[in-house]
Amino acid sequence: MQIAILLYPGFTALDAIGPYEMLNALPGAETVFVAERRGPVRNDSGRLGLVADAAFDEVTRPDVVVVPGGPDTSGPRDPGPVRDWLRAVDASTTWTTSVCTGSLILAAAGLLKGRRATSHWLALEELVPYGAEPTGERVVFDGKYVTAAGVSSGIDMGLTLAGRIAGDRAAQTIQLLTEYDPEPPYDAGSPEKAPADLVAEWRAKGV
Amino acid sequence: MQIAILLYPGFTALDAIGPYEMLNALPGAETVFVAERRGPVRNDSGRLGLVADAAFDEVTRPDVVVVPGGPDTSGPRDPGPVRDWLRAVDASTTWTTSVCTGSLILAAAGLLKGRRATSHWLALEELVPYGAEPTGERVVFDGKYVTAAGVSSGIDMGLTLAGRIAGDRAAQTIQLLTEYDPEPPYDAGSPEKAPADLVAEWRAKGV
């Protein structure tokens, strides 16, 4: 089972690494980080470089695709190599997935038309012009398309998908070994729970 | 505020990226991934390369150090460059932290003597020979030493530390923007909660 995780300049690291850590632990999983060209790809802050071990033309039939988001996805949303590669590989994937604003990249490639999908809470409405139906849920399955909400939700997406692929016990094993028993020190992780003025501040600012 | 995240061959990616994503979002934070030599460092599966942008001799006075764990930490626990660097920078850090079996690396460097500390649940007792006092808590503060339990707990550690450094509102902002409102699809994230036979299986196997 080949799992291809897309990298592009400006991706958010945890969007990629959350699902990676959940899915790569599956028996038989072989993950490859893929980008337009081989070599290091810088993240949204520029402080982190993750190596793409394969270029698009080397990964033609992945079973699972994971598309991370980032604060600015205008590049990979434009017509070009990312879009072309996503459309091509989606034709034969078992699962096509995204985290955070990665869903906007899938949507821009025309892959979420008429599908229920989620995204970062500040970006949900941007799904609409692409014909997707935004929902505020944390992990959304619609057929083979699986989208997750902001950044950290990729862990929940990855673990949920691990269970669908390999069964509950395999997923529970991954949860136990990654000690995924979260204890956030605050309860501000969604716009419904965070202080209202903080939410308003960021709705005004955007990401 | 310089945050130095240690890389060594065989590190677990989420151990490094969880705290990175929480701490690098702090105002004024400048994260640097550091290793014995500059260049890509491979993770525990070998499927992922993360770039060290600085060598040890280029990072001499970080404010915060983060030490990720991995399934085999015998290399960085041995006398050598990792230990020497940790001891040298610890002399002037504000916070010295670890995730998962990263605490064994700190402990082997002699930095956790007489300190309460945590680690991956399968590795907790390995702290004892180094003179640390293991606790089963998810995030443990003892003076400037902050240790986190297995893999995913680095997110809770990073967010808790973000609050200590910059206040509750700054940490809540990070939680909101990373949408850290976890919804694990199973409740098997700790040895107390996972199916007993699964825990027994892994206690027999070790990591």
Side-chain angles (χ1 to χ4, degrees), chain A residues 49-125:
Chain A
L50 220 161
V51 178
D53 284 323
F56 287 153
D57 58 6
E58 297 175 281
V59 181
T60 56
R61 292 184 66 87
D63 302 284
V64 181
V65 166
V66 179
V67 179
D72 178 6
T73 53
S74 56
R77 276 197 265 175
D78 279 345
V82 169
R83 175 188 288 195
D84 294 344
W85 180 76
L86 283 174
R87 286 181 177 170
V89 294
D90 179 66
S92 55
T93 56
T94 310
W95 300 100
T96 295
T97 79
S98 68
V99 180
C100 196
T101 52
S103 61
L104 303 180
I105 301 172
L106 288 182
L111 302 179
L112 297 180
K113 274 206 187 87
R115 302 274 179 187
R116 296 174 69 252
T118 190
S119 192
H120 192 282
W121 63 275
L122 277 169
L124 267 177
E125 291 309 313

Coordinates of all heavy atoms in Angstrom, one line a residue, chain A residues 49-125:
Chain A
G49 N 12.5 22.2 6.6 CA 12.6 21.6 5.2 C 12.3 20.1 5.3 O 13.0 19.4 6.1
L50 N 11.4 19.6 4.6 CA 11.1 18.2 4.5 C 11.5 17.7 3.1 O 11.2 18.3 2.1 CB 9.6 18.0 4.8 CG 9.2 16.9 5.7 CD1 7.8 17.1 6.3 CD2 9.2 15.6 5.0
V51 N 12.1 16.6 3.1 CA 12.6 16.1 1.8 C 11.6 15.3 1.0 O 11.0 14.4 1.5 CB 13.9 15.2 2.1 CG1 14.4 14.6 0.7 CG2 14.9 15.9 2.8
A52 N 11.4 15.8 -0.2 CA 10.6 15.0 -1.1 C 11.5 13.9 -1.7 O 12.5 14.3 -2.4 CB 10.0 15.8 -2.2
D53 N 11.2 12.7 -1.5 CA 12.0 11.6 -2.0 C 11.7 11.2 -3.5 O 12.4 10.4 -4.1 CB 12.0 10.3 -1.1 CG 12.7 10.5 0.2 OD1 13.8 11.2 0.1 OD2 12.3 10.1 1.2
A54 N 10.6 11.7 -3.9 CA 10.2 11.4 -5.3 C 9.5 12.6 -6.0 O 8.9 13.4 -5.3 CB 9.2 10.2 -5.3
A55 N 9.7 12.7 -7.3 CA 9.0 13.7 -8.1 C 7.7 13.1 -8.6 O 7.4 11.9 -8.5 CB 9.9 14.1 -9.2
F56 N 6.8 14.0 -9.0 CA 5.5 13.6 -9.4 C 5.5 12.4 -10.4 O 4.7 11.5 -10.3 CB 4.7 14.8 -10.0 CG 4.3 15.8 -9.0 CD1 4.1 17.1 -9.4 CD2 4.0 15.4 -7.7 CE1 3.7 18.1 -8.5 CE2 3.5 16.4 -6.8 CZ 3.4 17.7 -7.2
D57 N 6.4 12.5 -11.4 CA 6.4 11.5 -12.4 C 6.9 10.1 -11.9 O 6.8 9.1 -12.7 CB 7.2 11.9 -13.7 CG 8.6 12.2 -13.4 OD1 9.1 12.0 -12.2 OD2 9.4 12.7 -14.3
E58 N 7.4 10.1 -10.7 CA 7.8 8.8 -10.1 C 6.7 8.1 -9.2 O 6.9 7.0 -8.8 CB 9.0 9.0 -9.2 CG 10.2 9.5 -10.0 CD 11.4 9.9 -9.1 OE1 11.4 10.9 -8.4 OE2 12.3 9.0 -9.0
V59 N 5.7 8.9 -9.0 CA 4.6 8.3 -8.2 C 3.3 8.4 -9.0 O 2.6 9.5 -9.0 CB 4.4 9.1 -6.8 CG1 3.3 8.5 -6.0 CG2 5.8 9.1 -6.1
T60 N 2.9 7.3 -9.6 CA 1.8 7.4 -10.6 C 0.6 6.6 -10.2 O -0.5 6.9 -10.7 CB 2.3 6.9 -12.0 OG1 2.8 5.5 -11.8 CG2 3.4 7.7 -12.6
R61 N 0.7 5.7 -9.2 CA -0.4 4.9 -8.8 C -0.5 4.7 -7.3 O -0.6 3.6 -6.8 CB -0.5 3.6 -9.5 CG -0.8 3.7 -11.0 CD -0.9 2.4 -11.7 NE -2.1 1.7 -11.2 CZ -3.3 1.8 -11.8 NH1 -3.5 2.6 -12.8 NH2 -4.3 1.1 -11.3
P62 N -0.4 5.8 -6.5 CA -0.5 5.6 -5.0 C -1.9 5.1 -4.6 O -2.8 5.5 -5.3 CB -0.2 7.0 -4.5 CG -0.6 7.9 -5.6 CD -0.3 7.2 -6.9
D63 N -1.9 4.4 -3.6 CA -3.2 3.9 -3.1 C -3.9 5.0 -2.2 O -5.1 5.1 -2.3 CB -3.0 2.6 -2.2 CG -2.3 1.5 -3.0 OD1 -3.0 0.9 -3.8 OD2 -1.1 1.3 -2.8
V64 N -3.1 5.7 -1.5 CA -3.6 6.8 -0.7 C -2.9 8.1 -1.0 O -1.6 8.1 -1.1 CB -3.5 6.5 0.8 CG1 -4.0 7.6 1.7 CG2 -4.1 5.1 1.2
V65 N -3.6 9.2 -1.1 CA -2.9 10.5 -1.3 C -3.3 11.3 -0.1 O -4.5 11.4 0.3 CB -3.4 11.1 -2.6 CG1 -3.0 12.6 -2.6 CG2 -2.7 10.4 -3.8
V66 N -2.4 12.1 0.5 CA -2.6 13.0 1.5 C -2.2 14.4 1.1 O -1.0 14.6 0.7 CB -1.9 12.6 2.8 CG1 -2.2 13.6 3.9 CG2 -2.2 11.2 3.3
V67 N -3.1 15.3 1.1 CA -2.7 16.7 0.7 C -2.8 17.6 2.0 O -3.9 17.9 2.5 CB -3.7 17.2 -0.3 CG1 -3.4 18.7 -0.7 CG2 -3.7 16.3 -1.5
P68 N -1.6 18.1 2.4 CA -1.6 19.0 3.6 C -2.1 20.4 3.1 O -2.0 20.7 2.0 CB -0.2 19.0 4.0 CG 0.6 18.7 2.8 CD -0.3 17.8 1.9
G69 N -2.5 21.2 4.1 CA -2.8 22.6 3.8 C -1.7 23.5 4.2 O -0.5 23.1 4.4
G70 N -2.0 24.8 4.1 CA -1.0 25.8 4.4 C -1.7 27.1 4.5 O -2.9 27.2 3.9
P71 N -1.1 28.2 5.0 CA -1.8 29.5 5.1 C -2.0 30.1 3.7 O -3.0 30.9 3.6 CB -0.9 30.3 5.9 CG 0.4 29.6 6.1 CD 0.1 28.1 5.8
D72 N -1.2 29.7 2.7 CA -1.4 30.3 1.4 C -1.3 29.1 0.4 O -0.3 28.6 0.1 CB -0.4 31.3 1.0 CG -0.5 31.8 -0.4 OD1 -1.5 31.5 -1.1 OD2 0.3 32.6 -0.8
T73 N -2.5 28.7 -0.1 CA -2.5 27.5 -1.0 C -2.8 28.0 -2.5 O -3.2 27.2 -3.3 CB -3.6 26.5 -0.6 OG1 -4.8 27.2 -0.5 CG2 -3.2 25.8 0.7
S74 N -2.6 29.3 -2.7 CA -2.9 29.8 -4.0 C -2.0 29.1 -5.1 O -2.5 28.8 -6.2 CB -2.8 31.3 -4.1 OG -1.5 31.7 -3.7
G75 N -0.8 28.9 -4.8 CA 0.1 28.2 -5.8 C -0.4 26.9 -6.2 O -0.7 26.7 -7.4
P76 N -0.6 25.9 -5.3 CA -1.0 24.6 -5.7 C -2.5 24.6 -6.1 O -2.9 23.6 -6.7 CB -0.8 23.8 -4.4 CG -0.7 24.7 -3.3 CD -0.1 26.0 -3.9
R77 N -3.2 25.6 -5.9 CA -4.6 25.7 -6.4 C -4.6 26.1 -7.9 O -5.6 25.8 -8.6 CB -5.4 26.6 -5.6 CG -6.0 26.0 -4.3 CD -7.1 26.9 -3.8 NE -6.7 27.8 -2.8 CZ -7.5 28.7 -2.2 NH1 -8.7 28.8 -2.6 NH2 -7.0 29.5 -1.3
D78 N -3.6 26.8 -8.3 CA -3.6 27.3 -9.7 C -3.4 26.1 -10.6 O -2.9 25.1 -10.3 CB -2.4 28.2 -9.9 CG -2.7 29.6 -9.4 OD1 -3.9 30.0 -9.2 OD2 -1.7 30.4 -9.2
P79 N -3.8 26.3 -11.9 CA -3.5 25.3 -12.9 C -2.0 25.0 -12.9 O -1.2 26.0 -12.8 CB -3.9 25.9 -14.2 CG -4.9 26.9 -13.8 CD -4.5 27.5 -12.5
G80 N -1.5 23.8 -13.0 CA -0.1 23.5 -13.0 C 0.2 22.1 -12.5 O -0.8 21.3 -12.5
P81 N 1.4 21.8 -12.2 CA 1.8 20.4 -11.9 C 1.1 19.8 -10.8 O 0.8 18.6 -10.8 CB 3.3 20.6 -11.6 CG 3.8 21.9 -12.2 CD 2.6 22.8 -12.2
V82 N 0.8 20.5 -9.7 CA 0.1 19.9 -8.5 C -1.2 19.4 -9.0 O -1.6 18.3 -8.7 CB 0.0 20.9 -7.3 CG1 -0.9 20.3 -6.3 CG2 1.4 21.1 -6.7
R83 N -2.0 20.3 -9.6 CA -3.3 20.0 -10.0 C -3.3 18.8 -11.0 O -4.1 17.9 -10.9 CB -4.0 21.2 -10.7 CG -5.3 20.8 -11.3 CD -5.9 22.0 -12.1 NE -6.3 23.1 -11.3 CZ -7.1 24.1 -11.7 NH1 -7.5 24.1 -13.0 NH2 -7.5 25.0 -10.9
D84 N -2.4 18.9 -12.0 CA -2.3 17.8 -13.0 C -2.0 16.4 -12.3 O -2.6 15.4 -12.6 CB -1.2 18.1 -14.0 CG -1.5 19.3 -14.8 OD1 -2.7 19.7 -14.9 OD2 -0.6 19.8 -15.5
W85 N -1.1 16.5 -11.3 CA -0.7 15.2 -10.6 C -1.9 14.7 -9.8 O -2.2 13.5 -9.9 CB 0.5 15.4 -9.8 CG 1.0 14.2 -9.0 CD1 1.6 13.1 -9.6 CD2 0.7 13.9 -7.6 NE1 1.8 12.2 -8.6 CE2 1.3 12.6 -7.4 CE3 0.1 14.5 -6.6 CZ2 1.3 12.0 -6.1 CZ3 0.1 13.9 -5.3 CH2 0.6 12.7 -5.1
L86 N -2.5 15.6 -9.1 CA -3.7 15.1 -8.3 C -4.7 14.5 -9.1 O -5.3 13.5 -8.8 CB -4.2 16.3 -7.5 CG -3.4 16.7 -6.2 CD1 -4.0 18.0 -5.6 CD2 -3.4 15.6 -5.2
R87 N -5.1 15.2 -10.2 CA -6.1 14.6 -11.1 C -5.7 13.2 -11.6 O -6.5 12.3 -11.7 CB -6.4 15.6 -12.3 CG -7.2 16.8 -11.8 CD -7.5 17.7 -13.0 NE -8.3 18.8 -12.6 CZ -8.5 19.8 -13.4 NH1 -8.0 19.9 -14.6 NH2 -9.3 20.8 -13.0
A88 N -4.4 13.1 -12.0 CA -4.0 11.9 -12.6 C -4.0 10.7 -11.6 O -4.5 9.7 -11.9 CB -2.6 12.1 -13.2
V89 N -3.5 11.0 -10.4 CA -3.4 9.9 -9.4 C -4.8 9.6 -8.8 O -5.0 8.4 -8.5 CB -2.3 10.1 -8.3 CG1 -0.9 10.1 -8.9 CG2 -2.6 11.4 -7.5
D90 N -5.6 10.6 -8.7 CA -6.9 10.4 -8.1 C -7.7 9.3 -8.9 O -8.6 8.6 -8.4 CB -7.7 11.7 -8.0 CG -9.1 11.5 -7.4 OD1 -9.2 11.1 -6.2 OD2 -10.1 11.7 -8.2
A91 N -7.4 9.2 -10.2 CA -8.1 8.2 -11.0 C -8.0 6.8 -10.5 O -8.9 6.0 -10.7 CB -7.6 8.3 -12.5
S92 N -6.9 6.5 -9.8 CA -6.7 5.2 -9.3 C -6.5 5.0 -7.8 O -6.2 3.9 -7.3 CB -5.6 4.5 -10.1 OG -4.4 5.3 -9.9
T93 N -6.6 6.1 -7.0 CA -6.5 6.0 -5.6 C -7.6 5.2 -4.9 O -8.7 5.1 -5.5 CB -6.4 7.3 -4.9 OG1 -7.6 8.0 -5.2 CG2 -5.2 8.1 -5.2
T94 N -7.3 4.6 -3.8 CA -8.4 4.0 -3.0 C -9.0 5.1 -2.1 O -10.1 5.2 -1.8 CB -7.8 2.9 -2.1 OG1 -7.1 2.0 -3.0 CG2 -8.9 2.1 -1.4
W95 N -8.1 6.0 -1.6 CA -8.5 7.1 -0.7 C -7.7 8.4 -1.2 O -6.5 8.3 -1.3 CB -8.1 6.8 0.7 CG -8.8 5.6 1.3 CD1 -8.2 4.4 1.5 CD2 -10.1 5.5 1.8 NE1 -9.1 3.5 2.0 CE2 -10.3 4.2 2.3 CE3 -11.2 6.4 1.9 CZ2 -11.5 3.7 2.8 CZ3 -12.4 6.0 2.5 CH2 -12.5 4.7 2.9
T96 N -8.4 9.4 -1.3 CA -7.8 10.7 -1.6 C -8.2 11.6 -0.4 O -9.4 11.9 -0.1 CB -8.4 11.3 -2.9 OG1 -7.9 10.5 -4.0 CG2 -7.9 12.7 -3.2
T97 N -7.2 12.1 0.3 CA -7.4 12.8 1.5 C -6.8 14.2 1.6 O -5.8 14.5 0.9 CB -6.9 11.9 2.7 OG1 -5.5 12.1 2.8 CG2 -7.3 10.5 2.5
S98 N -7.2 15.0 2.6 CA -6.6 16.3 2.8 C -6.7 16.6 4.3 O -7.5 16.1 5.0 CB -7.3 17.3 2.0 OG -8.6 17.6 2.4
V99 N -5.9 17.6 4.7 CA -5.9 18.2 6.0 C -5.9 19.7 5.8 O -5.3 20.2 5.0 CB -4.6 17.8 6.8 CG1 -4.7 18.4 8.2 CG2 -4.5 16.3 6.9
C100 N -6.8 20.3 6.6 CA -6.8 21.8 6.7 C -7.1 22.3 5.3 O -8.0 21.8 4.6 CB -5.4 22.3 7.2 SG -5.4 24.0 7.8
T101 N -6.5 23.4 4.9 CA -6.8 24.0 3.5 C -6.3 23.1 2.4 O -6.5 23.5 1.2 CB -6.1 25.4 3.4 OG1 -4.7 25.2 3.8 CG2 -6.8 26.3 4.4
G102 N -5.8 21.9 2.7 CA -5.5 21.0 1.6 C -6.8 20.6 0.9 O -6.7 20.3 -0.3
S103 N -7.9 20.7 1.5 CA -9.2 20.5 0.8 C -9.5 21.5 -0.3 O -10.1 21.2 -1.3 CB -10.4 20.4 1.8 OG -10.5 21.6 2.5
L104 N -8.9 22.7 -0.1 CA -9.1 23.7 -1.1 C -8.3 23.3 -2.4 O -8.7 23.6 -3.5 CB -8.7 25.1 -0.7 CG -9.4 25.6 0.6 CD1 -8.8 27.0 1.0 CD2 -10.9 25.7 0.4
I105 N -7.2 22.7 -2.2 CA -6.4 22.2 -3.3 C -7.1 21.1 -4.0 O -7.2 21.1 -5.3 CB -5.0 21.8 -2.8 CG1 -4.3 22.9 -2.1 CG2 -4.1 21.3 -3.9 CD1 -3.0 22.6 -1.4
L106 N -7.6 20.1 -3.3 CA -8.4 19.1 -3.9 C -9.6 19.7 -4.6 O -9.9 19.3 -5.8 CB -8.9 18.1 -2.8 CG -7.9 17.1 -2.2 CD1 -8.6 16.2 -1.2 CD2 -7.2 16.3 -3.3
A107 N -10.3 20.6 -4.0 CA -11.5 21.2 -4.6 C -11.1 22.0 -5.9 O -11.8 21.9 -6.9 CB -12.2 22.1 -3.6
A108 N -10.0 22.7 -5.8 CA -9.6 23.5 -7.0 C -9.2 22.5 -8.2 O -9.3 22.9 -9.3 CB -8.4 24.3 -6.7
A109 N -8.8 21.3 -7.8 CA -8.6 20.3 -8.9 C -9.8 19.7 -9.4 O -9.8 18.8 -10.3 CB -7.6 19.3 -8.4
G110 N -11.0 20.1 -8.8 CA -12.3 19.6 -9.3 C -12.6 18.3 -8.7 O -13.6 17.6 -9.2
L111 N -12.0 17.9 -7.6 CA -12.2 16.5 -7.1 C -13.3 16.5 -6.0 O -13.6 15.4 -5.6 CB -10.9 15.9 -6.5 CG -9.7 15.9 -7.6 CD1 -8.4 15.3 -6.9 CD2 -10.1 15.0 -8.8
L112 N -13.7 17.6 -5.6 CA -14.7 17.6 -4.5 C -16.1 18.1 -4.9 O -16.9 18.4 -4.1 CB -14.2 18.4 -3.3 CG -12.9 17.9 -2.6 CD1 -12.5 18.7 -1.4 CD2 -13.1 16.4 -2.1
K113 N -16.3 18.2 -6.2 CA -17.6 18.7 -6.7 C -18.8 17.8 -6.2 O -18.8 16.6 -6.4 CB -17.6 18.6 -8.2 CG -17.1 19.9 -8.8 CD -17.6 20.1 -10.3 CE -16.9 21.3 -10.9 NZ -15.6 20.9 -11.6
G114 N -19.7 18.5 -5.5 CA -20.9 17.7 -5.0 C -20.6 16.9 -3.8 O -21.4 16.2 -3.3
R115 N -19.4 17.0 -3.3 CA -19.0 16.2 -2.1 C -19.1 17.1 -0.8 O -18.8 18.3 -0.8 CB -17.5 15.8 -2.2 CG -17.2 15.0 -3.4 CD -17.4 13.5 -3.2 NE -17.1 12.7 -4.4 CZ -17.4 11.4 -4.5 NH1 -18.0 10.8 -3.5 NH2 -17.1 10.8 -5.6
R116 N -19.4 16.4 0.3 CA -19.3 17.0 1.6 C -17.8 17.0 2.0 O -17.1 16.1 1.8 CB -20.1 16.3 2.7 CG -21.6 16.3 2.4 CD -22.4 15.4 3.4 NE -22.3 15.9 4.7 CZ -21.6 15.4 5.8 NH1 -20.9 14.3 5.6 NH2 -21.7 16.0 7.0
A117 N -17.4 18.2 2.5 CA -16.0 18.3 2.9 C -15.8 19.3 4.0 O -16.7 20.1 4.3 CB -15.2 18.7 1.6
T118 N -14.6 19.2 4.6 CA -14.3 20.2 5.6 C -12.9 20.8 5.3 O -12.3 20.5 4.3 CB -14.3 19.6 7.0 OG1 -14.2 20.6 8.0 CG2 -13.2 18.6 7.3
S119 N -12.5 21.8 6.2 CA -11.3 22.5 6.0 C -11.0 23.3 7.3 O -11.8 23.1 8.3 CB -11.5 23.5 4.8 OG -10.3 24.1 4.4
H120 N -10.0 24.0 7.3 CA -9.7 24.9 8.4 C -11.0 25.8 8.6 O -11.6 26.3 7.7 CB -8.5 25.8 8.2 CG -8.0 26.5 9.4 ND1 -8.6 27.7 9.8 CD2 -7.0 26.3 10.2 CE1 -8.0 28.1 10.9 NE2 -7.0 27.3 11.1
W121 N -11.3 26.0 9.9 CA -12.6 26.8 10.2 C -12.6 28.1 9.5 O -13.7 28.6 9.2 CB -12.9 26.9 11.7 CG -11.8 27.6 12.5 CD1 -10.7 27.2 13.0 CD2 -11.9 29.0 12.9 NE1 -10.0 28.2 13.7 CE2 -10.7 29.3 13.6 CE3 -12.8 30.1 12.7 CZ2 -10.4 30.6 14.2 CZ3 -12.5 31.3 13.2 CH2 -11.4 31.6 13.9
L122 N -11.5 28.8 9.3 CA -11.4 30.1 8.7 C -11.6 30.0 7.2 O -11.7 31.0 6.5 CB -10.1 30.8 9.1 CG -10.1 31.5 10.4 CD1 -8.7 32.0 10.8 CD2 -11.1 32.7 10.4
A123 N -11.5 28.8 6.6 CA -11.4 28.6 5.2 C -12.6 27.9 4.6 O -12.7 27.7 3.4 CB -10.1 27.9 4.7
L124 N -13.5 27.4 5.5 CA -14.6 26.6 5.1 C -15.4 27.1 3.9 O -15.7 26.3 3.0 CB -15.6 26.4 6.3 CG -15.4 25.1 7.2 CD1 -16.4 25.2 8.3 CD2 -15.5 23.9 6.4
E125 N -15.7 28.4 3.9 CA -16.6 28.9 2.9 C -15.9 29.0 1.5 O -16.6 29.1 0.5 CB -17.1 30.3 3.3 CG -18.1 30.3 4.5 CD -19.2 29.2 4.2 OE1 -19.8 29.2 3.1 OE2 -19.5 28.4 5.2

